Amino acid sequence: MGTVSAADAPAIAALTGDALAAAVKGNLDNDLVLQKFNLKVKGKDADVTIEGSVDEGEQMALAGNVAENVKGVRYVFNNIVPKN
């Protein structure tokens, strides 16, 4: 106990880039309101960009909140376009 193997290091390190984008995408896809929109997520360092379209501005805001709540996210570029 107390030692960390090289295999465990990625799990302990903060998520960045593609791994962070995948975590955000997973949370968006698991949200019952947002999953039907199949939003796209890109990550660079600790920042993520969300793209796609939703029905209403409230859903756009929800997607931003879901992304912001992922541990490690520093900034969310919310490029979602609401239809209404």
Side-chain angles (χ1 to χ4, degrees), residues 1 34 44 61:
M1 200 184 249
L34 299 172
K44 181 175 182 185

Side-chain angles (χ1 to χ4, degrees), residues 2 4 6 9-11 13-14 17-18 27 29-30 32 39 42 45 50 52-53 55-57 61 66 74 80-81 84:
V4 176
D18 292 340
N27 284 6
D29 288 349
N30 285 329
L32 296 176
L39 299 169
K42 296 177 190 170
D45 299 324
I50 309 170
S53 63
D55 294 331
E56 303 171 358
V66 167
R74 175 180 58 192
I80 297 171
V81 179
N84 294 325

Side-chain angles (χ1 to χ4, degrees), residues 3 13 15 26 31 35 43 45 76:
T3 60
L15 297 178
D31 186 279
Q35 63 187 192
D45 299 324
V76 176

Side-chain angles (χ1 to χ4, degrees), residues 17-79:
D18 292 340
L20 191 58
V24 171
K25 174 70 172 158
N27 284 6
L28 292 171
D29 288 349
N30 285 329
D31 186 279
L32 296 176
V33 173
L34 299 172
Q35 63 187 192
K36 68 180 179 179
F37 300 110
N38 193 27
L39 299 169
K40 308 296 182 224
V41 182
K42 296 177 190 170
K44 181 175 182 185
D45 299 324
D47 302 334
V48 294
T49 301
I50 309 170
E51 298 177 336
S53 63
V54 294
D55 294 331
E56 303 171 358
E58 290 173 359
Q59 295 160 333
M60 176 184 165
L62 175 60
N65 287 337
V66 167
E68 287 174 355
N69 286 321
V70 172
K71 186 173 180 160
V73 171
R74 175 180 58 192
Y75 190 82
V76 176
F77 295 93
N78 193 336
N79 296 338

